[in-house]
Amino acid sequence: MKNHSIRLSICLLFLTLFSGIILATSGAESAAKTDSCVSRKCHSGMGKAKAVHNPVKAGMCTACHNAVADPKKKTKHPRNLTITLAQQGADLCYMCHDRNNKKKVVHGPIKGGNCTFCHNPHQSPNKGMLKEPSPKICFQCHPDSLVKHKVMHPPVLSMGCSTCHDAHQGDHPKMLMQEGNSLCFMCHSDKQEHLKKRKVAHLPVKQSCVMCHNPHGSGNSAMLSASVPALCANCHPNEVSLGQRAVTKHSPMTGKKQCLTCHDVHAADQPKLLVKQQRALCLGCHDAVRRTKTGAVKNMKAFLEKHKNGHGPVRENNCASCHNPHGSDYWRLLVKYYPPEFYTSYSDGKYALCFTCHDKAAFTKRITDEKTDFRDDKKNLHFVHVNKRSKGRTCRTCHEVHADNNRPHHVSDRVKFNDWEMPINFVPSKNGGSCLPGCHGAKEYRR
Ligand code: HEC
Ligand code: HEC
Ligand code: HEC
Ligand code: HEC
Ligand code: HEC
Ligand code: HEC
Ligand code: HEC
Ligand code: HEC
Ligand code: HEC
Ligand code: HEC
Ligand code: HEC
Ligand code: HEC
Ligand code: HEC
């Protein structure tokens, strides 16, 4: 700063002397002295505006204007002076100011050397001798729609364009003060902390905040380039369209917060950006009986509190291995087909859900000595019960799919048969087991 001012003073001194020499040697009969350019009659407004350029204030008109009196030429200017600029375009300004076209990115009008498009060289009512106050000056060339959004980013209006952009040049694209997200972190350091502290960050958030937020404003809350879920649909079309067109819909998808009910869009400690551990997330809402189009669903939280012996994936808190929280074409938001009935004819596809993790051979081989333990010698009892052309029993006849009270092989205590809670009375033995269900007498199997 100090060097800069010194340079300016030396420059001023030199120019004053230099222009004096021109005037003295030009043979003019009485060349105007710099201070006589401004008088009651001539250029009387000079120096009276709110912001006056220093050399003008100092009456040093000839720092920029050469005034030559040539008797051979007739001019309109009093005393027959020919007035020219000492330098053209930006070079005039660079006589005293550091060049501002040196950095990586230079603003269009600066490239063209057009300083006086924005600045009045003498004076103006506006700060920085701007011809129009900022940001109006910018809208001479850029659309003012930039500041006419329904939802504005507060600093754009309150702090001005130069909070983020240099009007002349910069080291970063678009003459921004900082590159990429660092710009945003100048003021949103809490978001920077959030990203650092959480285990997983959403990839686009790491890449660039402006992928989702318009830095100036937009028609949507938080200056989003589109509202949720349309915003998400740009990159995650499947989840969004599933939520809208699925046969079985899940109401949090269309509720007030939509995707953000379950996901933190910036960063989270849980995989898949979940706001909570998955099971806790689901049970946060499934802590009461919920109504659906196909009947009420039970209070799963209460059920799991009473039934501690979770089925593998439930034990691992992975509800999403069987349910798609976004929506599904199957019953109960299941990820694959699983029959809702008590009885059904058998096909592999009907148990696609269970067969993602269990071997279907336990149900397709009439005779086996290894594919299942539910057999009497080699007679496959899974096949007997399940694999029928009609009235095959579905898995729910015998098994709990979420959890049970420490029952072996997740065999249920009771099964709902129409309105009857039918007991099963399964008792395992060393090489087999027995049951005394409501539907037939006591039976035993032995391997
Ligand atoms: C920092 C350089 C600079 C100084 C100092 C300066 N001028 Fe100028 N002046 C200019 C430039 C550049 C133009 C051309 C403006 C344009 O083309 O928009 C100009 C144009 C003019 C014009 C014609 C157009 C107009 O704006 O009215 C007058 C008259 C003028 N100057 C008078 C003065 C007087 C009087 C002084 C001293 C009080 C002075 N200038 C000091 C740079 C300067
Ligand atoms: C003869 C030297 C000289 C020339 C030529 C010159 N300036 Fe300046 N300018 C100054 C001085 C001295 C200052 C005050 C320095 C400071 O505040 O750092 C200044 C300040 C400014 C400011 C800041 C004003 C404010 O209120 O903050 C602007 C803008 C400016 N000049 C633009 C220009 C432009 C545009 C040109 C070319 C048309 C130009 N200058 C040419 C000497 C000059
Ligand atoms: C697109 C408009 C625009 C153009 C063109 C422009 N400036 Fe500026 N300039 C500004 C704005 C805006 C400011 C900040 C004014 C304020 O708020 O104080 C500024 C400030 C300045 C300042 C004072 C603060 C600083 O940055 O040192 C100087 C000196 C200056 N400009 C010189 C120039 C010169 C020299 C040129 C031509 C090479 C030029 N400007 C061209 C818009 C412009
Ligand atoms: C004299 C006309 C003019 C004025 C006034 C003007 N600009 Fe520009 N601006 C341009 C031009 C020309 C470009 C280059 C456009 C391009 O490269 O596509 C540009 C580019 C930009 C860019 C970069 C855009 C990009 O896509 O890379 C930004 C940011 C910008 N201007 C901001 C401003 C701000 C802030 C102001 C007010 C202080 C302003 N401009 C005033 C003419 C102007
Ligand atoms: C909070 C910081 C911030 C403020 C304040 C700000 N901008 Fe920007 N501006 C940006 C960022 C970031 C970009 C780059 C956006 C991108 O890359 O998509 C940008 C881009 C631009 C562009 C390029 C075209 C576009 O729309 O992307 C122009 C022109 C522009 N700004 C002008 C302005 C003007 C004029 C003002 C003042 C009215 C202003 N900006 C205020 C951050 C800001
Ligand atoms: C100069 C400081 C500043 C910079 C730089 C800045 N912001 Fe802001 N931003 C604010 C202020 C102040 C608010 C309003 C108060 C608040 O909500 O924190 C705000 C609000 C926001 C909001 C809206 C909050 C809401 O609840 O609606 C978003 C989104 C936002 N900024 C994103 C960004 C992004 C993205 C960037 C980088 C391109 C950025 N900001 C750069 C100061 C800034
Ligand atoms: C993938 C899109 C996306 C990206 C990228 C993104 N955001 Fe957001 N941001 C959102 C959404 C959606 C909201 C609205 C959250 C809400 O309504 O609760 C939001 C809200 C905000 C808010 C205001 C509410 C709050 O959570 O404080 C701020 C500030 C913000 N974002 C800053 C940033 C910053 C800074 C970045 C870059 C580091 C960024 N965002 C990147 C989508 C995004
Ligand atoms: C600009 C594109 C973009 C937008 C917009 C976007 N995302 Fe993403 N999202 C991604 C990318 C890229 C990944 C990383 C995918 C990968 O790693 O395979 C991702 C990953 C995710 C993940 C999984 C994270 C993980 O750990 O695997 C979730 C959940 C997610 N996004 C939710 C959202 C939500 C909700 C929204 C809307 C509020 C949204 N996204 C908007 C690009 C986007
Ligand atoms: C009811 C809670 C909930 C809602 C609402 C929700 N999600 Fe998810 N989302 C999840 C869960 C749980 C997972 C993890 C699934 C898994 O682990 O397989 C997930 C996973 C994702 C993934 C990663 C998918 C993958 O294959 O890795 C994306 C992307 C995603 N969600 C986007 C969205 C979008 C977009 C919305 C809004 C349209 C949304 N989610 C709404 C709970 C939800
Ligand atoms: C192994 C697959 C699987 C896993 C893992 C799983 N579910 Fe289920 N869920 C099902 C099946 C199958 C149904 C259909 C119920 C039936 O067969 O009667 C169902 C039904 C439901 C219902 C509706 C209950 C009713 O009254 O009909 C809710 C609520 C539910 N599950 C929530 C969860 C939650 C929460 C988790 C994680 C803690 C979870 N599920 C894990 C397979 C699973
Ligand atoms: C924000 C609350 C909320 C969250 C979180 C939530 N659910 Fe739901 N869920 C509901 C409501 C309400 C219903 C009742 C039907 C409806 O409105 O969509 C429901 C219905 C269901 C159904 C039965 C759907 C049917 O129509 O048959 C299943 C299965 C289910 N949810 C599983 C889950 C799983 C798994 C999770 C965790 C990944 C979860 N839910 C998270 C609120 C929630
Ligand atoms: C009629 C009752 C019944 C039905 C229906 C039934 N199971 Fe079983 N299942 C059992 C019994 C009893 C065992 C315990 C066998 C043993 O170890 O003694 C068992 C064991 C299992 C095992 C452990 C591995 C094995 O085969 O020994 C799996 C896995 C299994 N069943 C899955 C299923 C699936 C999937 C369905 C539906 C397609 C189903 N079961 C239908 C009674 C049944
Ligand atoms: C995501 C994988 C997965 C899916 C899908 C799945 N299971 Fe399981 N299942 C397991 C795991 C892991 C175990 C072993 C841990 C345990 O005993 O809970 C298991 C165990 C069992 C057992 C007890 C086996 C034994 O020997 O004790 C039965 C019965 C069972 N599952 C039935 C089913 C039924 C019925 C379905 C379909 C509705 C199903 N499973 C879907 C992973 C799965």
Side-chain angles (χ1 to χ4, degrees):
M1 193 65 216
K2 222 175 197 167
N3 281 342
H4 185 62
S5 328
I6 291 168
R7 204 191 121 181
L8 276 173
S9 337
I10 294 173
C11 178
L12 278 176
L13 182 68
F14 173 71
L15 280 159
T16 318
L17 290 173
F18 185 60
S19 47
I21 292 164
I22 295 175
L23 292 171
T25 55
S26 65
E29 46 171 287
S30 99
K33 271 203 224 144
T34 48
D35 57 357
S36 64
C37 301
V38 181
S39 67
R40 204 145 47 82
K41 273 200 215 147
C42 306
H43 307 299
S44 58
M46 264 315 163
K48 301 234 166 77
K50 214 162 141 208
V52 182
H53 201 187
N54 274 40
V56 171
K57 215 185 280 170
M60 294 165 50
C61 311
T62 51
C64 298
H65 296 287
N66 293 335
V68 179
D70 185 348
K72 284 180 228 146
K73 243 204 217 155
K74 273 262 162 252
T75 72
K76 281 195 210 137
H77 197 272
R79 298 179 192 165
N80 204 30
L81 294 177
T82 302
I83 316 246
T84 52
L85 285 171
Q87 294 280 344
Q88 293 304 310
D91 288 339
L92 180 71
C93 315
Y94 295 150
M95 293 193 312
C96 302
H97 293 285
D98 289 333
R99 291 188 161 267
N100 51 22
N101 59 356
K102 288 282 185 209
K103 295 191 179 167
K104 261 199 247 158
V105 184
V106 177
H107 196 190
I110 307 287
K111 269 190 222 150
N114 200 350
C115 310
T116 52
F117 192 96
C118 296
H119 296 287
N120 188 307
H122 308 123
Q123 60 181 7
S124 102
N126 310 309
K127 209 172 152 237
M129 294 134 41
L130 289 173
K131 287 187 171 166
E132 298 277 359
S134 193
K136 219 173 145 196
I137 187 72
C138 312
F139 305 140
Q140 307 297 315
C141 305
H142 299 284
D144 66 352
S145 54
L146 220 70
V147 293
K148 298 228 164 110
H149 298 287
K150 197 173 102 206
V151 178
M152 285 299 302
H153 192 197
V156 173
L157 291 177
S158 66
M159 300 165 76
C161 317
S162 53
T163 319
C164 297
H165 298 283
D166 193 289
H168 308 122
Q169 59 176 348
D171 289 326
H172 312 299
K174 315 205 183 205
M175 296 111 53
L176 288 164
M177 297 298 170
Q178 297 275 333
E179 181 127 34
N181 291 358
S182 318
L183 178 78
C184 313
F185 296 149
M186 290 186 337
C187 302
H188 297 285
S189 53
D190 55 326
K191 277 276 169 293
Q192 186 172 23
E193 282 300 298
H194 183 70
L195 287 179
K196 255 199 235 146
K197 276 197 203 134
R198 305 292 151 139
K199 289 197 191 113
V200 247
H202 196 191
L203 194 59
V205 176
K206 282 194 276 188
Q207 287 169 337
S208 170
C209 309
V210 297
M211 278 174 129
C212 297
H213 297 286
N214 184 314
H216 308 122
S218 84
N220 307 300
S221 66
M223 304 117 56
L224 292 171
S225 50
S227 58
V228 178
L231 176 74
C232 318
N234 288 332
C235 308
H236 304 292
N238 296 345
E239 281 77 10
V240 175
S241 73
L242 188 60
Q244 288 159 354
R245 61 150 183 78
V247 176
T248 307
K249 295 191 171 64
H250 199 198
S251 60
M253 289 292 283
T254 47
K256 199 162 152 257
K257 294 180 69 190
Q258 310 204 48
C259 316
L260 308 176
T261 315
C262 300
H263 298 288
D264 187 317
V265 67
H266 300 114
D269 282 334
Q270 299 297 327
K272 309 288 177 196
L273 301 171
L274 293 178
V275 292
K276 275 194 221 159
Q277 185 239 47
Q278 200 189 102
R279 174 179 174 141
L281 175 70
C282 307
L283 299 182
C285 289
H286 290 282
D287 57 350
V289 173
R290 298 281 169 205
R291 311 264 149 219
T292 75
K293 277 189 201 147
T294 54
V297 300
K298 66 178 164 233
N299 180 338
M300 189 55 76
K301 186 170 184 224
F303 179 84
L304 292 178
E305 271 163 8
K306 267 198 241 144
H307 301 81
K308 301 266 189 225
N309 183 33
H311 177 203
V314 171
R315 216 181 294 160
E316 282 169 6
N317 301 323
N318 193 352
C319 310
S321 58
C322 295
H323 296 285
N324 190 332
H326 306 122
S328 155
D329 287 345
Y330 308 114
W331 186 61
R332 294 289 184 244
L333 300 170
L334 294 171
V335 293
K336 289 188 186 161
Y337 195 88
Y338 179 69
E341 307 92 5
F342 187 86
Y343 289 125
T344 191
S345 59
Y346 180 84
S347 77
D348 293 352
K350 283 194 175 164
Y351 298 100
L353 179 68
C354 310
F355 297 164
T356 5
C357 304
H358 298 290
D359 187 358
K360 71 173 187 220
F363 306 89
T364 52
K365 292 198 164 3
R366 193 184 296 267
I367 302 295
T368 179
D369 55 5
E370 41 123 12
K371 291 297 179 193
T372 177
D373 283 345
F374 188 29
R375 60 188 158 86
D376 194 24
D377 191 12
K378 289 185 182 169
K379 184 177 173 194
N380 182 344
L381 297 175
H382 264 143
F383 185 91
V384 167
H385 287 89
V386 179
N387 199 331
K388 286 173 169 293
R389 212 162 286 156
S390 74
K391 282 206 159 189
R393 284 108 187 142
T394 50
C395 319
R396 74 170 57 74
T397 314
C398 304
H399 296 293
E400 282 287 357
V401 75
H402 294 105
D404 54 75
N405 273 324
N406 276 327
R407 306 284 303 152
H409 315 297
H410 304 308
V411 174
S412 326
D413 289 330
R414 293 174 171 274
V415 58
K416 210 166 151 49
F417 185 69
N418 295 331
D419 286 334
W420 181 26
E421 293 273 344
M422 185 176 80
I424 294 181
N425 296 318
F426 173 69
V427 180
S429 64
K430 199 160 156 252
N431 293 316
S434 64
C435 53
L436 175 60
C439 50
H440 55 65
K443 299 240 179 179
E444 202 181 351
Y445 64 93
R446 205 186 286 274
R447 296 185 288 269

